Amino acid sequence: MNSTLPEDLFIDEAEASPEVDFRYSEHRLALKGESYPENAASFYGEMIDRTRAYLDALPEGQVVTIDVALSYFNSSSTKMLFGLFSTFEEACNRGVIVILNWHRDAEDDTMEEFGAELHDEYPLLQFNDLPVHS
């Protein structure tokens, strides 16, 4: 296991891509905005690689909090998000504790359903559905 964490990762929100604020040093990762980049694999690839390296360096019992507040994402982003959440699930299998806070508009049935699907697909993640009333 590595003893060093990767550098924190911050990517500003753009028209088609979300803000990424992965503070590995604080064990807090956040995604917010919309995600429909032209090349989702390119956008998410480095993020997933760095996150995997980060998770591999964590000791058993370490708590990691993820805040996801995406209002929209396309099918290619969905595939990459599942890859990211699979990485977190693998870490849970090694004893890392992952808390996933799913922030969504209370009126958005699609995001509610996607959150429920994530919860079913990745049962080791401590999932919190957090509807926001506008």
Side-chain angles (χ1 to χ4, degrees):
M1 230 183 241
N2 295 346
S3 60
T4 58
L5 299 177
E7 279 188 44
D8 291 351
L9 176 63
F10 182 82
I11 302 170
D12 238 338
E13 184 174 4
E15 183 179 332
S17 58
E19 177 183 287
V20 176
D21 190 2
F22 282 15
R23 298 178 189 200
Y24 300 115
S25 59
E26 298 174 16
H27 309 292
R28 293 198 66 88
L29 315 179
L31 287 171
K32 70 178 181 179
E34 296 184 347
S35 182
Y36 52 98
E38 194 167 309
N39 186 337
S42 174
F43 180 80
Y44 284 97
E46 179 189 356
M47 179 191 322
I48 292 170
D49 290 345
R50 286 174 73 169
T51 300
R52 182 172 287 117
Y54 156 73
L55 292 167
D56 286 348
L58 296 180
E60 185 176 328
Q62 176 65 57
V63 177
V64 177
T65 302
I66 311 159
D67 287 289
V68 178
L70 294 173
S71 57
Y72 172 80
F73 42 88
N74 64 4
S75 58
S76 59
S77 292
T78 299
K79 181 178 178 183
M80 299 310 296
L81 289 168
F82 269 94
L84 181 63
F85 293 124
S86 291
T87 301
F88 290 118
E89 182 87 354
E90 291 165 14
C92 290
N93 281 321
R94 294 190 314 274
V96 173
I97 299 162
V98 179
I99 299 166
L100 172 57
N101 296 318
W102 186 254
H103 304 269
R104 62 174 179 82
D105 185 300
E107 305 299 315
D108 191 335
D109 295 341
T110 302
M111 286 301 169
E112 181 179 15
E113 290 168 13
F114 190 82
E117 188 178 337
L118 281 177
H119 186 51
D120 290 344
E121 185 76 21
Y122 304 107
L124 297 179
L125 303 181
Q126 294 181 19
F127 184 85
N128 297 309
D129 181 32
L130 302 171
V132 176
H133 298 275
S134 36

